[in-house]
Amino acid sequence: VQLVESGGGLVQPGGSLRLSCAASGFTFRTYIMSWYQQAPGKERELVAQIPNFGANAEYADSAKDRFTISRDDAKSTVYLQMNSLKSEDTAVYYCHAMGPPPSYELEYWGQGTQVTVSS
């Protein structure tokens, strides 16, 4: 199993980034996919989650109206479009997979990609 994130980097406040997470080694379409962030000295926190089978995505309050999570099951890839970035969005962003139904007992993490928002 692999989750490989990409798309992080340095961006100015107000800018945008699109993170990608390419998955392999499991039945992607059956898994709930999420993005987490971990800032220095803080715990890892859920940013956005997109369920399997077409259910609605959910977002942390800090991400609502600025971030959009999406998935392409044909490409086994999940995305996080981040707009209007703020300095407090600076963190390592991790891709997470949980499944398969009905137990959802397996979970996988990517290695993380650094996002730095600074002028």
Side-chain angles (χ1 to χ4, degrees):
V1 171
Q2 276 194 314
L3 296 174
V4 180
E5 299 102 332
S6 60
L10 174 64
V11 63
Q12 292 186 343
S16 299
L17 281 176
R18 188 193 195 205
L19 306 183
S20 299
C21 171
S24 61
F26 61 97
T27 309
F28 179 84
R29 62 180 177 81
T30 67
Y31 276 62
I32 298 169
M33 299 301 298
S34 304
W35 286 96
Y36 284 74
Q37 66 177 191
Q38 187 167 21
K42 295 187 177 181
E43 294 185 353
R44 196 171 296 187
E45 298 179 337
L46 179 66
V47 175
Q49 184 176 82
I50 187 164
N52 44 11
F53 309 122
N56 292 331
E58 296 183 353
Y59 297 89
D61 287 343
S62 60
K64 287 179 181 177
D65 301 323
R66 297 190 301 125
F67 294 2
T68 302
I69 188 171
S70 61
R71 63 190 296 162
D72 186 337
D73 288 345
K75 295 182 178 180
S76 296
T77 301
V78 61
Y79 304 96
L80 185 67
Q81 177 68 44
M82 303 188 295
N83 299 327
S84 302
L85 283 161
K86 307 174 182 179
S87 58
E88 50 262 45
D89 296 320
T90 295
V92 178
Y93 285 73
Y94 295 91
C95 180
H96 178 263
M98 183 171 65
S103 65
Y104 294 95
E105 62 185 4
L106 299 177
E107 59 178 328
Y108 308 114
W109 291 94
Q111 82 287 352
T113 186
Q114 176 70 47
V115 171
T116 302
V117 184
S118 176
S119 55

PDB file of all heavy atoms in Angstrom, residues 47-84:
ATOM      1  N   VAL A  47      -8.576  17.974   8.296  1.00  0.00           N
ATOM      2  CA  VAL A  47      -8.891  19.157   7.505  1.00  0.00           C
ATOM      3  C   VAL A  47     -10.142  18.922   6.664  1.00  0.00           C
ATOM      4  O   VAL A  47     -11.055  19.744   6.644  1.00  0.00           O
ATOM      5  CB  VAL A  47      -7.713  19.523   6.577  1.00  0.00           C
ATOM      6  CG1 VAL A  47      -8.095  20.683   5.658  1.00  0.00           C
ATOM      7  CG2 VAL A  47      -6.479  19.851   7.382  1.00  0.00           C
ATOM      8  N   ALA A  48     -10.179  17.802   5.963  1.00  0.00           N
ATOM      9  CA  ALA A  48     -11.299  17.517   5.071  1.00  0.00           C
ATOM     10  C   ALA A  48     -11.381  16.016   4.846  1.00  0.00           C
ATOM     11  O   ALA A  48     -10.359  15.321   4.875  1.00  0.00           O
ATOM     12  CB  ALA A  48     -11.132  18.243   3.739  1.00  0.00           C
ATOM     13  N   GLN A  49     -12.589  15.557   4.620  1.00  0.00           N
ATOM     14  CA  GLN A  49     -12.832  14.135   4.405  1.00  0.00           C
ATOM     15  C   GLN A  49     -13.850  13.953   3.296  1.00  0.00           C
ATOM     16  O   GLN A  49     -14.866  14.661   3.255  1.00  0.00           O
ATOM     17  CB  GLN A  49     -13.351  13.497   5.696  1.00  0.00           C
ATOM     18  CG  GLN A  49     -13.542  12.002   5.636  1.00  0.00           C
ATOM     19  CD  GLN A  49     -13.951  11.461   6.985  1.00  0.00           C
ATOM     20  OE1 GLN A  49     -15.105  11.493   7.389  1.00  0.00           O
ATOM     21  NE2 GLN A  49     -12.963  10.956   7.719  1.00  0.00           N
ATOM     22  N   ILE A  50     -13.582  13.006   2.423  1.00  0.00           N
ATOM     23  CA  ILE A  50     -14.524  12.691   1.357  1.00  0.00           C
ATOM     24  C   ILE A  50     -14.830  11.201   1.421  1.00  0.00           C
ATOM     25  O   ILE A  50     -13.950  10.359   1.285  1.00  0.00           O
ATOM     26  CB  ILE A  50     -13.984  13.124  -0.022  1.00  0.00           C
ATOM     27  CG1 ILE A  50     -15.051  12.932  -1.096  1.00  0.00           C
ATOM     28  CG2 ILE A  50     -12.684  12.414  -0.376  1.00  0.00           C
ATOM     29  CD1 ILE A  50     -14.738  13.675  -2.390  1.00  0.00           C
ATOM     30  N   PRO A  51     -16.095  10.886   1.663  1.00  0.00           N
ATOM     31  CA  PRO A  51     -16.457   9.479   1.810  1.00  0.00           C
ATOM     32  C   PRO A  51     -16.411   8.729   0.483  1.00  0.00           C
ATOM     33  O   PRO A  51     -16.224   9.311  -0.583  1.00  0.00           O
ATOM     34  CB  PRO A  51     -17.891   9.546   2.347  1.00  0.00           C
ATOM     35  CG  PRO A  51     -18.053  10.927   2.867  1.00  0.00           C
ATOM     36  CD  PRO A  51     -17.193  11.780   2.003  1.00  0.00           C
ATOM     37  N   ASN A  52     -16.585   7.449   0.566  1.00  0.00           N
ATOM     38  CA  ASN A  52     -16.724   6.620  -0.619  1.00  0.00           C
ATOM     39  C   ASN A  52     -18.152   6.706  -1.128  1.00  0.00           C
ATOM     40  O   ASN A  52     -19.036   7.258  -0.469  1.00  0.00           O
ATOM     41  CB  ASN A  52     -16.340   5.188  -0.300  1.00  0.00           C
ATOM     42  CG  ASN A  52     -16.931   4.712   1.034  1.00  0.00           C
ATOM     43  OD1 ASN A  52     -17.776   5.378   1.623  1.00  0.00           O
ATOM     44  ND2 ASN A  52     -16.492   3.568   1.495  1.00  0.00           N
ATOM     45  N   PHE A  53     -18.371   6.222  -2.288  1.00  0.00           N
ATOM     46  CA  PHE A  53     -19.699   6.048  -2.866  1.00  0.00           C
ATOM     47  C   PHE A  53     -20.522   7.337  -2.956  1.00  0.00           C
ATOM     48  O   PHE A  53     -21.733   7.328  -2.755  1.00  0.00           O
ATOM     49  CB  PHE A  53     -20.478   4.970  -2.097  1.00  0.00           C
ATOM     50  CG  PHE A  53     -19.701   3.690  -1.928  1.00  0.00           C
ATOM     51  CD1 PHE A  53     -19.449   3.176  -0.668  1.00  0.00           C
ATOM     52  CD2 PHE A  53     -19.180   3.017  -3.025  1.00  0.00           C
ATOM     53  CE1 PHE A  53     -18.720   2.005  -0.511  1.00  0.00           C
ATOM     54  CE2 PHE A  53     -18.453   1.841  -2.885  1.00  0.00           C
ATOM     55  CZ  PHE A  53     -18.223   1.330  -1.617  1.00  0.00           C
ATOM     56  N   GLY A  54     -19.858   8.448  -3.221  1.00  0.00           N
ATOM     57  CA  GLY A  54     -20.579   9.666  -3.576  1.00  0.00           C
ATOM     58  C   GLY A  54     -21.178  10.457  -2.451  1.00  0.00           C
ATOM     59  O   GLY A  54     -21.926  11.406  -2.689  1.00  0.00           O
ATOM     60  N   ALA A  55     -20.888  10.142  -1.208  1.00  0.00           N
ATOM     61  CA  ALA A  55     -21.439  10.918  -0.099  1.00  0.00           C
ATOM     62  C   ALA A  55     -20.754  12.286  -0.027  1.00  0.00           C
ATOM     63  O   ALA A  55     -19.704  12.502  -0.623  1.00  0.00           O
ATOM     64  CB  ALA A  55     -21.274  10.158   1.202  1.00  0.00           C
ATOM     65  N   ASN A  56     -21.375  13.198   0.734  1.00  0.00           N
ATOM     66  CA  ASN A  56     -20.877  14.565   0.810  1.00  0.00           C
ATOM     67  C   ASN A  56     -19.587  14.674   1.620  1.00  0.00           C
ATOM     68  O   ASN A  56     -19.391  13.971   2.605  1.00  0.00           O
ATOM     69  CB  ASN A  56     -21.938  15.472   1.434  1.00  0.00           C
ATOM     70  CG  ASN A  56     -23.139  15.640   0.532  1.00  0.00           C
ATOM     71  OD1 ASN A  56     -23.022  15.562  -0.677  1.00  0.00           O
ATOM     72  ND2 ASN A  56     -24.299  15.860   1.130  1.00  0.00           N
ATOM     73  N   ALA A  57     -18.738  15.588   1.203  1.00  0.00           N
ATOM     74  CA  ALA A  57     -17.503  15.850   1.926  1.00  0.00           C
ATOM     75  C   ALA A  57     -17.765  16.658   3.193  1.00  0.00           C
ATOM     76  O   ALA A  57     -18.790  17.339   3.313  1.00  0.00           O
ATOM     77  CB  ALA A  57     -16.529  16.607   1.030  1.00  0.00           C
ATOM     78  N   GLU A  58     -16.848  16.576   4.118  1.00  0.00           N
ATOM     79  CA  GLU A  58     -16.932  17.340   5.358  1.00  0.00           C
ATOM     80  C   GLU A  58     -15.617  18.078   5.569  1.00  0.00           C
ATOM     81  O   GLU A  58     -14.559  17.610   5.144  1.00  0.00           O
ATOM     82  CB  GLU A  58     -17.222  16.429   6.547  1.00  0.00           C
ATOM     83  CG  GLU A  58     -18.574  15.736   6.461  1.00  0.00           C
ATOM     84  CD  GLU A  58     -18.888  14.900   7.688  1.00  0.00           C
ATOM     85  OE1 GLU A  58     -17.995  14.756   8.542  1.00  0.00           O
ATOM     86  OE2 GLU A  58     -20.016  14.389   7.781  1.00  0.00           O
ATOM     87  N   TYR A  59     -15.710  19.225   6.253  1.00  0.00           N
ATOM     88  CA  TYR A  59     -14.542  20.074   6.425  1.00  0.00           C
ATOM     89  C   TYR A  59     -14.434  20.563   7.861  1.00  0.00           C
ATOM     90  O   TYR A  59     -15.446  20.775   8.542  1.00  0.00           O
ATOM     91  CB  TYR A  59     -14.648  21.303   5.503  1.00  0.00           C
ATOM     92  CG  TYR A  59     -14.663  20.974   4.042  1.00  0.00           C
ATOM     93  CD1 TYR A  59     -15.857  20.715   3.375  1.00  0.00           C
ATOM     94  CD2 TYR A  59     -13.480  20.903   3.324  1.00  0.00           C
ATOM     95  CE1 TYR A  59     -15.875  20.395   2.030  1.00  0.00           C
ATOM     96  CE2 TYR A  59     -13.483  20.594   1.976  1.00  0.00           C
ATOM     97  CZ  TYR A  59     -14.677  20.335   1.332  1.00  0.00           C
ATOM     98  OH  TYR A  59     -14.681  20.016  -0.002  1.00  0.00           O
ATOM     99  N   ALA A  60     -13.197  20.771   8.292  1.00  0.00           N
ATOM    100  CA  ALA A  60     -12.967  21.486   9.546  1.00  0.00           C
ATOM    101  C   ALA A  60     -13.432  22.926   9.357  1.00  0.00           C
ATOM    102  O   ALA A  60     -13.431  23.448   8.234  1.00  0.00           O
ATOM    103  CB  ALA A  60     -11.486  21.451   9.907  1.00  0.00           C
ATOM    104  N   ASP A  61     -13.819  23.551  10.444  1.00  0.00           N
ATOM    105  CA  ASP A  61     -14.297  24.940  10.350  1.00  0.00           C
ATOM    106  C   ASP A  61     -13.259  25.842   9.699  1.00  0.00           C
ATOM    107  O   ASP A  61     -13.602  26.746   8.936  1.00  0.00           O
ATOM    108  CB  ASP A  61     -14.639  25.466  11.748  1.00  0.00           C
ATOM    109  CG  ASP A  61     -15.918  24.854  12.303  1.00  0.00           C
ATOM    110  OD1 ASP A  61     -16.698  24.290  11.506  1.00  0.00           O
ATOM    111  OD2 ASP A  61     -16.133  24.940  13.522  1.00  0.00           O
ATOM    112  N   SER A  62     -11.987  25.586   9.971  1.00  0.00           N
ATOM    113  CA  SER A  62     -10.912  26.430   9.429  1.00  0.00           C
ATOM    114  C   SER A  62     -10.765  26.286   7.913  1.00  0.00           C
ATOM    115  O   SER A  62     -10.165  27.138   7.264  1.00  0.00           O
ATOM    116  CB  SER A  62      -9.589  26.073  10.106  1.00  0.00           C
ATOM    117  OG  SER A  62      -9.263  24.714   9.863  1.00  0.00           O
ATOM    118  N   ALA A  63     -11.301  25.194   7.363  1.00  0.00           N
ATOM    119  CA  ALA A  63     -11.145  24.915   5.938  1.00  0.00           C
ATOM    120  C   ALA A  63     -12.399  25.250   5.118  1.00  0.00           C
ATOM    121  O   ALA A  63     -12.315  25.356   3.885  1.00  0.00           O
ATOM    122  CB  ALA A  63     -10.799  23.449   5.729  1.00  0.00           C
ATOM    123  N   LYS A  64     -13.515  25.408   5.784  1.00  0.00           N
ATOM    124  CA  LYS A  64     -14.765  25.677   5.066  1.00  0.00           C
ATOM    125  C   LYS A  64     -14.660  26.956   4.245  1.00  0.00           C
ATOM    126  O   LYS A  64     -14.109  27.950   4.703  1.00  0.00           O
ATOM    127  CB  LYS A  64     -15.924  25.779   6.068  1.00  0.00           C
ATOM    128  CG  LYS A  64     -16.338  24.451   6.646  1.00  0.00           C
ATOM    129  CD  LYS A  64     -17.482  24.616   7.652  1.00  0.00           C
ATOM    130  CE  LYS A  64     -17.866  23.280   8.250  1.00  0.00           C
ATOM    131  NZ  LYS A  64     -18.919  23.415   9.285  1.00  0.00           N
ATOM    132  N   ASP A  65     -15.198  26.907   3.046  1.00  0.00           N
ATOM    133  CA  ASP A  65     -15.245  28.041   2.117  1.00  0.00           C
ATOM    134  C   ASP A  65     -13.893  28.403   1.514  1.00  0.00           C
ATOM    135  O   ASP A  65     -13.805  29.323   0.696  1.00  0.00           O
ATOM    136  CB  ASP A  65     -15.831  29.299   2.797  1.00  0.00           C
ATOM    137  CG  ASP A  65     -17.225  29.073   3.319  1.00  0.00           C
ATOM    138  OD1 ASP A  65     -17.988  28.362   2.640  1.00  0.00           O
ATOM    139  OD2 ASP A  65     -17.537  29.589   4.406  1.00  0.00           O
ATOM    140  N   ARG A  66     -12.813  27.694   1.916  1.00  0.00           N
ATOM    141  CA  ARG A  66     -11.500  27.967   1.325  1.00  0.00           C
ATOM    142  C   ARG A  66     -10.897  26.735   0.662  1.00  0.00           C
ATOM    143  O   ARG A  66     -10.176  26.847  -0.333  1.00  0.00           O
ATOM    144  CB  ARG A  66     -10.529  28.486   2.394  1.00  0.00           C
ATOM    145  CG  ARG A  66     -10.937  29.801   3.025  1.00  0.00           C
ATOM    146  CD  ARG A  66      -9.814  30.359   3.897  1.00  0.00           C
ATOM    147  NE  ARG A  66      -9.433  29.447   4.966  1.00  0.00           N
ATOM    148  CZ  ARG A  66      -8.189  29.017   5.175  1.00  0.00           C
ATOM    149  NH1 ARG A  66      -7.198  29.417   4.385  1.00  0.00           N
ATOM    150  NH2 ARG A  66      -7.930  28.193   6.179  1.00  0.00           N
ATOM    151  N   PHE A  67     -11.151  25.555   1.243  1.00  0.00           N
ATOM    152  CA  PHE A  67     -10.557  24.319   0.746  1.00  0.00           C
ATOM    153  C   PHE A  67     -11.641  23.450   0.116  1.00  0.00           C
ATOM    154  O   PHE A  67     -12.798  23.461   0.568  1.00  0.00           O
ATOM    155  CB  PHE A  67      -9.909  23.529   1.875  1.00  0.00           C
ATOM    156  CG  PHE A  67      -8.709  24.182   2.514  1.00  0.00           C
ATOM    157  CD1 PHE A  67      -8.254  25.431   2.121  1.00  0.00           C
ATOM    158  CD2 PHE A  67      -8.021  23.531   3.532  1.00  0.00           C
ATOM    159  CE1 PHE A  67      -7.152  26.028   2.711  1.00  0.00           C
ATOM    160  CE2 PHE A  67      -6.914  24.105   4.132  1.00  0.00           C
ATOM    161  CZ  PHE A  67      -6.491  25.357   3.724  1.00  0.00           C
ATOM    162  N   THR A  68     -11.253  22.670  -0.879  1.00  0.00           N
ATOM    163  CA  THR A  68     -12.163  21.712  -1.508  1.00  0.00           C
ATOM    164  C   THR A  68     -11.449  20.389  -1.692  1.00  0.00           C
ATOM    165  O   THR A  68     -10.385  20.331  -2.316  1.00  0.00           O
ATOM    166  CB  THR A  68     -12.645  22.210  -2.871  1.00  0.00           C
ATOM    167  OG1 THR A  68     -13.294  23.485  -2.724  1.00  0.00           O
ATOM    168  CG2 THR A  68     -13.633  21.224  -3.481  1.00  0.00           C
ATOM    169  N   ILE A  69     -12.037  19.335  -1.130  1.00  0.00           N
ATOM    170  CA  ILE A  69     -11.505  17.992  -1.314  1.00  0.00           C
ATOM    171  C   ILE A  69     -12.288  17.319  -2.436  1.00  0.00           C
ATOM    172  O   ILE A  69     -13.503  17.501  -2.552  1.00  0.00           O
ATOM    173  CB  ILE A  69     -11.579  17.176  -0.002  1.00  0.00           C
ATOM    174  CG1 ILE A  69     -10.851  15.847  -0.142  1.00  0.00           C
ATOM    175  CG2 ILE A  69     -13.024  16.980   0.458  1.00  0.00           C
ATOM    176  CD1 ILE A  69     -10.693  15.083   1.173  1.00  0.00           C
ATOM    177  N   SER A  70     -11.575  16.564  -3.255  1.00  0.00           N
ATOM    178  CA  SER A  70     -12.233  15.827  -4.333  1.00  0.00           C
ATOM    179  C   SER A  70     -11.464  14.539  -4.572  1.00  0.00           C
ATOM    180  O   SER A  70     -10.330  14.380  -4.107  1.00  0.00           O
ATOM    181  CB  SER A  70     -12.293  16.664  -5.614  1.00  0.00           C
ATOM    182  OG  SER A  70     -10.998  17.000  -6.062  1.00  0.00           O
ATOM    183  N   ARG A  71     -12.086  13.628  -5.287  1.00  0.00           N
ATOM    184  CA  ARG A  71     -11.439  12.346  -5.569  1.00  0.00           C
ATOM    185  C   ARG A  71     -11.745  11.925  -6.993  1.00  0.00           C
ATOM    186  O   ARG A  71     -12.823  12.230  -7.519  1.00  0.00           O
ATOM    187  CB  ARG A  71     -11.883  11.275  -4.572  1.00  0.00           C
ATOM    188  CG  ARG A  71     -13.359  10.939  -4.607  1.00  0.00           C
ATOM    189  CD  ARG A  71     -13.755  10.039  -3.422  1.00  0.00           C
ATOM    190  NE  ARG A  71     -13.102   8.748  -3.478  1.00  0.00           N
ATOM    191  CZ  ARG A  71     -12.987   7.928  -2.428  1.00  0.00           C
ATOM    192  NH1 ARG A  71     -13.484   8.290  -1.255  1.00  0.00           N
ATOM    193  NH2 ARG A  71     -12.380   6.761  -2.566  1.00  0.00           N
ATOM    194  N   ASP A  72     -10.799  11.219  -7.572  1.00  0.00           N
ATOM    195  CA  ASP A  72     -10.956  10.614  -8.888  1.00  0.00           C
ATOM    196  C   ASP A  72     -10.706   9.129  -8.699  1.00  0.00           C
ATOM    197  O   ASP A  72      -9.548   8.683  -8.641  1.00  0.00           O
ATOM    198  CB  ASP A  72      -9.973  11.235  -9.880  1.00  0.00           C
ATOM    199  CG  ASP A  72     -10.181  10.750 -11.296  1.00  0.00           C
ATOM    200  OD1 ASP A  72     -10.753   9.653 -11.472  1.00  0.00           O
ATOM    201  OD2 ASP A  72      -9.766  11.441 -12.238  1.00  0.00           O
ATOM    202  N   ASP A  73     -11.778   8.373  -8.599  1.00  0.00           N
ATOM    203  CA  ASP A  73     -11.626   6.944  -8.329  1.00  0.00           C
ATOM    204  C   ASP A  73     -10.956   6.215  -9.493  1.00  0.00           C
ATOM    205  O   ASP A  73     -10.275   5.206  -9.285  1.00  0.00           O
ATOM    206  CB  ASP A  73     -12.992   6.328  -8.020  1.00  0.00           C
ATOM    207  CG  ASP A  73     -13.533   6.755  -6.663  1.00  0.00           C
ATOM    208  OD1 ASP A  73     -12.753   7.286  -5.847  1.00  0.00           O
ATOM    209  OD2 ASP A  73     -14.750   6.548  -6.424  1.00  0.00           O
ATOM    210  N   ALA A  74     -11.126   6.716 -10.691  1.00  0.00           N
ATOM    211  CA  ALA A  74     -10.491   6.088 -11.857  1.00  0.00           C
ATOM    212  C   ALA A  74      -8.972   6.219 -11.793  1.00  0.00           C
ATOM    213  O   ALA A  74      -8.238   5.361 -12.296  1.00  0.00           O
ATOM    214  CB  ALA A  74     -11.016   6.705 -13.143  1.00  0.00           C
ATOM    215  N   LYS A  75      -8.500   7.297 -11.169  1.00  0.00           N
ATOM    216  CA  LYS A  75      -7.060   7.526 -11.041  1.00  0.00           C
ATOM    217  C   LYS A  75      -6.531   7.186  -9.652  1.00  0.00           C
ATOM    218  O   LYS A  75      -5.345   7.367  -9.373  1.00  0.00           O
ATOM    219  CB  LYS A  75      -6.732   8.987 -11.352  1.00  0.00           C
ATOM    220  CG  LYS A  75      -7.010   9.400 -12.785  1.00  0.00           C
ATOM    221  CD  LYS A  75      -6.605  10.837 -13.030  1.00  0.00           C
ATOM    222  CE  LYS A  75      -6.843  11.231 -14.480  1.00  0.00           C
ATOM    223  NZ  LYS A  75      -6.453  12.639 -14.752  1.00  0.00           N
ATOM    224  N   SER A  76      -7.433   6.735  -8.764  1.00  0.00           N
ATOM    225  CA  SER A  76      -7.035   6.425  -7.380  1.00  0.00           C
ATOM    226  C   SER A  76      -6.294   7.593  -6.746  1.00  0.00           C
ATOM    227  O   SER A  76      -5.222   7.423  -6.132  1.00  0.00           O
ATOM    228  CB  SER A  76      -6.168   5.158  -7.321  1.00  0.00           C
ATOM    229  OG  SER A  76      -6.899   4.032  -7.749  1.00  0.00           O
ATOM    230  N   THR A  77      -6.859   8.757  -6.902  1.00  0.00           N
ATOM    231  CA  THR A  77      -6.209   9.979  -6.431  1.00  0.00           C
ATOM    232  C   THR A  77      -7.218  10.863  -5.702  1.00  0.00           C
ATOM    233  O   THR A  77      -8.367  10.990  -6.142  1.00  0.00           O
ATOM    234  CB  THR A  77      -5.585  10.747  -7.603  1.00  0.00           C
ATOM    235  OG1 THR A  77      -4.630   9.909  -8.258  1.00  0.00           O
ATOM    236  CG2 THR A  77      -4.872  12.006  -7.112  1.00  0.00           C
ATOM    237  N   VAL A  78      -6.768  11.462  -4.620  1.00  0.00           N
ATOM    238  CA  VAL A  78      -7.570  12.436  -3.892  1.00  0.00           C
ATOM    239  C   VAL A  78      -6.818  13.763  -3.918  1.00  0.00           C
ATOM    240  O   VAL A  78      -5.585  13.790  -3.895  1.00  0.00           O
ATOM    241  CB  VAL A  78      -7.877  11.970  -2.458  1.00  0.00           C
ATOM    242  CG1 VAL A  78      -6.607  11.784  -1.644  1.00  0.00           C
ATOM    243  CG2 VAL A  78      -8.832  12.918  -1.759  1.00  0.00           C
ATOM    244  N   TYR A  79      -7.585  14.841  -3.998  1.00  0.00           N
ATOM    245  CA  TYR A  79      -7.013  16.174  -4.132  1.00  0.00           C
ATOM    246  C   TYR A  79      -7.484  17.079  -2.986  1.00  0.00           C
ATOM    247  O   TYR A  79      -8.556  16.865  -2.408  1.00  0.00           O
ATOM    248  CB  TYR A  79      -7.447  16.805  -5.462  1.00  0.00           C
ATOM    249  CG  TYR A  79      -7.121  15.984  -6.669  1.00  0.00           C
ATOM    250  CD1 TYR A  79      -8.083  15.138  -7.234  1.00  0.00           C
ATOM    251  CD2 TYR A  79      -5.867  16.037  -7.264  1.00  0.00           C
ATOM    252  CE1 TYR A  79      -7.802  14.369  -8.344  1.00  0.00           C
ATOM    253  CE2 TYR A  79      -5.568  15.273  -8.386  1.00  0.00           C
ATOM    254  CZ  TYR A  79      -6.538  14.446  -8.916  1.00  0.00           C
ATOM    255  OH  TYR A  79      -6.250  13.683 -10.027  1.00  0.00           O
ATOM    256  N   LEU A  80      -6.700  18.097  -2.711  1.00  0.00           N
ATOM    257  CA  LEU A  80      -7.130  19.152  -1.810  1.00  0.00           C
ATOM    258  C   LEU A  80      -6.766  20.487  -2.454  1.00  0.00           C
ATOM    259  O   LEU A  80      -5.582  20.835  -2.552  1.00  0.00           O
ATOM    260  CB  LEU A  80      -6.464  19.039  -0.436  1.00  0.00           C
ATOM    261  CG  LEU A  80      -6.962  20.041   0.603  1.00  0.00           C
ATOM    262  CD1 LEU A  80      -8.427  19.746   0.965  1.00  0.00           C
ATOM    263  CD2 LEU A  80      -6.097  20.020   1.864  1.00  0.00           C
ATOM    264  N   GLN A  81      -7.776  21.199  -2.910  1.00  0.00           N
ATOM    265  CA  GLN A  81      -7.582  22.530  -3.461  1.00  0.00           C
ATOM    266  C   GLN A  81      -7.663  23.523  -2.318  1.00  0.00           C
ATOM    267  O   GLN A  81      -8.685  23.593  -1.627  1.00  0.00           O
ATOM    268  CB  GLN A  81      -8.644  22.836  -4.509  1.00  0.00           C
ATOM    269  CG  GLN A  81      -8.552  24.244  -5.092  1.00  0.00           C
ATOM    270  CD  GLN A  81      -7.309  24.437  -5.937  1.00  0.00           C
ATOM    271  OE1 GLN A  81      -6.949  23.599  -6.738  1.00  0.00           O
ATOM    272  NE2 GLN A  81      -6.655  25.584  -5.756  1.00  0.00           N
ATOM    273  N   MET A  82      -6.601  24.273  -2.133  1.00  0.00           N
ATOM    274  CA  MET A  82      -6.531  25.224  -1.020  1.00  0.00           C
ATOM    275  C   MET A  82      -6.421  26.634  -1.577  1.00  0.00           C
ATOM    276  O   MET A  82      -5.449  26.950  -2.275  1.00  0.00           O
ATOM    277  CB  MET A  82      -5.333  24.902  -0.131  1.00  0.00           C
ATOM    278  CG  MET A  82      -5.353  23.487   0.415  1.00  0.00           C
ATOM    279  SD  MET A  82      -4.064  23.190   1.632  1.00  0.00           S
ATOM    280  CE  MET A  82      -2.613  23.361   0.605  1.00  0.00           C
ATOM    281  N   ASN A  83      -7.403  27.460  -1.280  1.00  0.00           N
ATOM    282  CA  ASN A  83      -7.426  28.846  -1.732  1.00  0.00           C
ATOM    283  C   ASN A  83      -7.368  29.786  -0.535  1.00  0.00           C
ATOM    284  O   ASN A  83      -7.599  29.380   0.599  1.00  0.00           O
ATOM    285  CB  ASN A  83      -8.698  29.117  -2.538  1.00  0.00           C
ATOM    286  CG  ASN A  83      -8.809  28.252  -3.771  1.00  0.00           C
ATOM    287  OD1 ASN A  83      -7.801  27.899  -4.396  1.00  0.00           O
ATOM    288  ND2 ASN A  83     -10.026  27.914  -4.153  1.00  0.00           N
ATOM    289  N   SER A  84      -7.073  31.040  -0.824  1.00  0.00           N
ATOM    290  CA  SER A  84      -7.019  32.079   0.223  1.00  0.00           C
ATOM    291  C   SER A  84      -6.193  31.614   1.409  1.00  0.00           C
ATOM    292  O   SER A  84      -6.622  31.719   2.567  1.00  0.00           O
ATOM    293  CB  SER A  84      -8.446  32.441   0.667  1.00  0.00           C
ATOM    294  OG  SER A  84      -9.224  32.886  -0.413  1.00  0.00           O
TER     295      SER A  84
END
